[in-house]
Amino acid sequence: MTVGIGRVSLRIQDLPLSCKEALTALVYGLMVEGSQIIHIDDIILPQQQVEFPQVDNIRLSAMVMAGDKKGISYMLSDIFRQIALSDSGAVNKIKTYVMEFINLFLESAAQAGYESISFEQMAEYYSCLINLNSLEDIYQWLKNVVESVLEALISRRTGRNRKTIIKAKNYININYSRDLNLDEVAESVFLSPNYFGWLFKKEMKMTFIEYLTKVRLNNAKRLLEKTQDSIQIISEKVGFNDPNYFSQVFLKYFAIRPTDYRKSKREIIVKE
């Protein structure tokens, strides 16, 4: 019998990590001969004895957060190139190193919004890894795992982002007539202003201000056509405090002044 032991967890929220460590230790024990009890610390070499490339966890987390499949693929290729060129070709050591990489990668994916991996799923990953016998097979297997997780993460995030932008647009369409800013809209969808501004531009292909201005001006056109309100009143109704500035922006967007636009629409109605 082989037993794997993780580190002691002082907080309930740390138990999943301890379970992963126990599973990692167990799998390592299964890769060596004989029944034994193995603690996670027994399989992690001191820093000065590490024979494989150190994973830049900050860089890995940033690439996972960005969904950078190309960047992570390059990282994996570089890691395995260094392993292949080293004298540390023992397959069991490589498998242990890969298990640690998977743990780091999945932790980063969870922080980026990917659903947490269950104990059973981790056991399935490690079971597949145990049966691999060559560096090329291990590399291809790890690459496939990473790509499948990233694709699921990107797909989930894309759907969530679209819903967020729809909510933001609805909020803008309801509140455009008053003094509205990016911070308020970002707060309404529970995002930081900087991230919301970046996400809005990415999804809408225009900045928040450009979209808000577009909504205001389209509503101004509607009021010019349907009401007898003065330019000053219309400018206030669509969120502009200065009617002169409103006229300048209207002219810039539509190449016609508000008064001339209203006149042209009335002439069309008369002719009809």
Side-chain angles (χ1 to χ4, degrees), residues 137-173:
D137 288 342
I138 294 172
Y139 167 69
Q140 195 58 53
W141 173 82
L142 179 58
K143 186 178 179 182
N144 291 339
V145 169
V146 168
E147 287 180 351
S148 65
V149 171
L150 281 177
E151 287 172 1
L153 175 61
I154 292 170
S155 176
R156 181 174 181 178
R157 182 185 294 169
T158 299
R160 186 175 59 201
N161 287 348
R162 286 174 181 167
K163 290 180 181 179
T164 298
I165 295 303
I166 289 173
K167 289 180 180 179
K169 288 169 63 179
N170 288 338
Y171 191 89
I172 293 169
N173 289 332

Side-chain angles (χ1 to χ4, degrees), residues 209-220:
I209 289 297
E210 288 170 343
Y211 181 80
L212 175 60
T213 302
K214 179 181 177 181
V215 169
R216 285 173 167 169
L217 293 178
N218 284 334
N219 278 280

Side-chain angles (χ1 to χ4, degrees), residues 64 77 248 262:
V64 171
S77 177
Q248 292 174 11
R262 168 178 275 171

Side-chain angles (χ1 to χ4, degrees), residues 51-53 76-89 94 135-136 139:
E51 299 168 329
F52 299 129
L76 288 178
S77 177
D78 186 56
I79 286 173
F80 275 81
R81 180 185 60 80
Q82 293 183 57
I83 292 175
L85 292 174
S86 71
D87 295 327
S88 307
I94 296 172
L135 182 62
E136 178 61 30
Y139 167 69

Side-chain angles (χ1 to χ4, degrees), residues 167-227:
K167 289 180 180 179
K169 288 169 63 179
N170 288 338
Y171 191 89
I172 293 169
N173 289 332
I174 293 172
N175 297 283
Y176 70 87
S177 61
R178 59 181 181 79
D179 187 16
L180 190 63
N181 57 48
L182 183 144
D183 287 16
E184 179 182 337
V185 180
E187 185 178 356
S188 75
V189 293
F190 308 103
L191 294 177
S192 69
N194 287 339
Y195 181 72
F196 171 71
W198 172 83
L199 178 63
F200 194 93
K201 184 175 182 179
K202 176 177 177 290
E203 295 293 324
M204 294 297 297
K205 311 304 180 187
M206 66 176 72
T207 66
F208 163 77
I209 289 297
E210 288 170 343
Y211 181 80
L212 175 60
T213 302
K214 179 181 177 181
V215 169
R216 285 173 167 169
L217 293 178
N218 284 334
N219 278 280
K221 288 172 69 175
R222 176 180 57 82
L223 293 173
L224 287 166
E225 296 173 19
K226 304 297 183 181
T227 74

Side-chain angles (χ1 to χ4, degrees), residues 15 39 52 57 63 103 115 129 137 187 194 230 247 257:
L15 285 175
H39 190 276
F52 299 129
N57 197 23
M63 289 191 293
N103 283 336
E115 59 185 20
L129 180 60
D137 288 342
E187 185 178 356
N194 287 339
S230 66
S247 295
R257 297 183 184 280

